[in-house]
Amino acid sequence: MGENLSREEVIRHYEEIIKKIKDVVSAKIITTPDGKISEIHVLANSNRNPKQIVRDIESALVATFGSEIDHKKISVAQLNKEEIFTAETRLRIDGLTVKKSKYNYEVSVVLRDAEDKLYEGRALGSGTFKYYLKLVAQATIDAIQQYVGRNFLITLEDINAFRIGEREAIAVLVSILTDWGEETFLGTTLFREDKGESVVVAVLNAVNRRISFLIKEKTD
């Protein structure tokens, strides 16, 4: 690992290597004040025994960085197949309302959960089209925040439209702050006829699976 990398960059490299291991969904490393690894928290699906995943993490870190990690520092939380399916379908768009004045957009996004409960998020801001897409993302996150409660903080990091082949698409970068630390997720989708709804879908693609696990973890 290069000497010029900061401690945070080194840890991110470790996390990225762990995320590439089969069946691992996400990973978060906790360090001591002097930068030593104290805990490794991993979210994985249930296809393999967690002990095998722990061994794979140990092997990957030794092979890539020459770093031996005590297996007792590694914890693996697993989602069963039903939970993964539920996570992917937990929240869905129910409605998008846009009011445009001379200088501003007022956006309302309504999401529906698996029990048909509704959550409405709102955002108000500048009337440019680029900022409109950002407002839709912010309103969507506001609705999601109402769904998960205040135990987790969800924020919009960035949003970008781009072309792939002959199609237009949208990418949304979202961060979730929990007791484990900060995790960042990317959601993408092809633009539909309603570009605002496409932004909602991209945000949900970014966070749906993770918030399902957080809700389960909070209620256990």
Side-chain angles (χ1 to χ4, degrees):
M1 191 65 61
E3 294 180 359
N4 294 328
L5 290 178
S6 69
R7 182 182 302 168
E8 291 77 14
E9 289 173 322
V10 171
I11 293 301
R12 282 199 295 271
H13 277 291
Y14 276 52
E15 290 172 341
E16 290 304 315
I17 290 297
I18 294 172
K19 290 176 186 177
K20 293 178 181 178
I21 293 172
K22 181 181 178 181
D23 295 322
V24 171
V25 176
S26 66
K28 183 66 182 177
I29 294 176
I30 308 298
T31 61
T32 61
D34 60 356
K36 295 181 180 179
I37 295 175
S38 59
E39 302 171 43
I40 299 177
H41 297 280
V42 173
L43 174 66
N45 64 40
S46 59
N47 291 334
R48 293 194 298 153
N49 188 299
K51 290 183 179 180
Q52 181 60 55
I53 295 175
V54 169
R55 286 195 292 269
D56 285 353
I57 292 171
E58 293 178 285
S59 299
L61 294 182
V62 169
T64 308
F65 304 110
S67 301
E68 293 188 11
I69 301 295
D70 184 351
H71 70 274
K72 295 178 181 179
K73 295 181 179 180
I74 305 171
S75 64
V76 177
Q78 289 186 293
L79 292 171
N80 63 42
K81 292 180 180 179
E82 289 182 357
E83 289 167 339
I84 292 172
F85 175 78
T86 301
E88 292 173 345
T89 59
R90 183 174 289 275
L91 288 174
R92 61 188 187 277
I93 184 171
D94 188 80
L96 169 63
T97 303
V98 181
K99 295 180 181 179
K100 188 178 187 307
S101 63
K102 185 175 181 180
Y103 298 111
N104 292 301
Y105 282 107
E106 182 179 352
V107 178
S108 168
V109 173
V110 179
L111 302 179
R112 183 183 297 271
D113 69 9
E115 298 176 352
D116 285 333
K117 293 181 181 178
L118 300 178
Y119 304 86
E120 183 179 14
R122 294 179 177 274
L124 175 67
S126 169
T128 65
F129 177 72
K130 182 176 181 180
Y131 202 74
Y132 161 67
L133 297 180
K134 184 176 181 180
L135 289 173
V136 174
Q138 290 174 333
T140 305
I141 289 172
D142 184 42
I144 296 170
Q145 191 74 70
Q146 293 176 40
Y147 170 70
V148 300
R150 296 295 165 179
N151 287 10
F152 330 115
L153 179 63
I154 307 172
T155 58
L156 175 67
E157 296 291 334
D158 200 3
I159 179 170
N160 276 299
F162 62 98
R163 294 194 67 83
I164 181 166
E166 299 299 317
R167 304 292 297 277
E168 282 189 296
I170 187 75
V172 179
L173 191 66
V174 177
S175 289
I176 301 180
L177 186 63
T178 70
D179 290 340
W180 284 8
E182 183 179 346
E183 297 177 281
T184 305
F185 301 92
L186 179 69
T188 61
T189 190
L190 293 174
F191 264 138
R192 307 177 181 184
E193 184 175 348
D194 188 323
K195 294 189 175 182
E197 287 191 5
S198 301
V199 173
V200 178
V201 171
V203 174
L204 292 176
N205 286 344
V207 303
N208 251 339
R209 174 172 293 188
R210 188 64 178 116
I211 62 174
S212 176
F213 174 73
L214 291 172
I215 291 294
K216 178 180 183 298
E217 185 179 63
K218 183 178 73 171
T219 55
D220 280 350

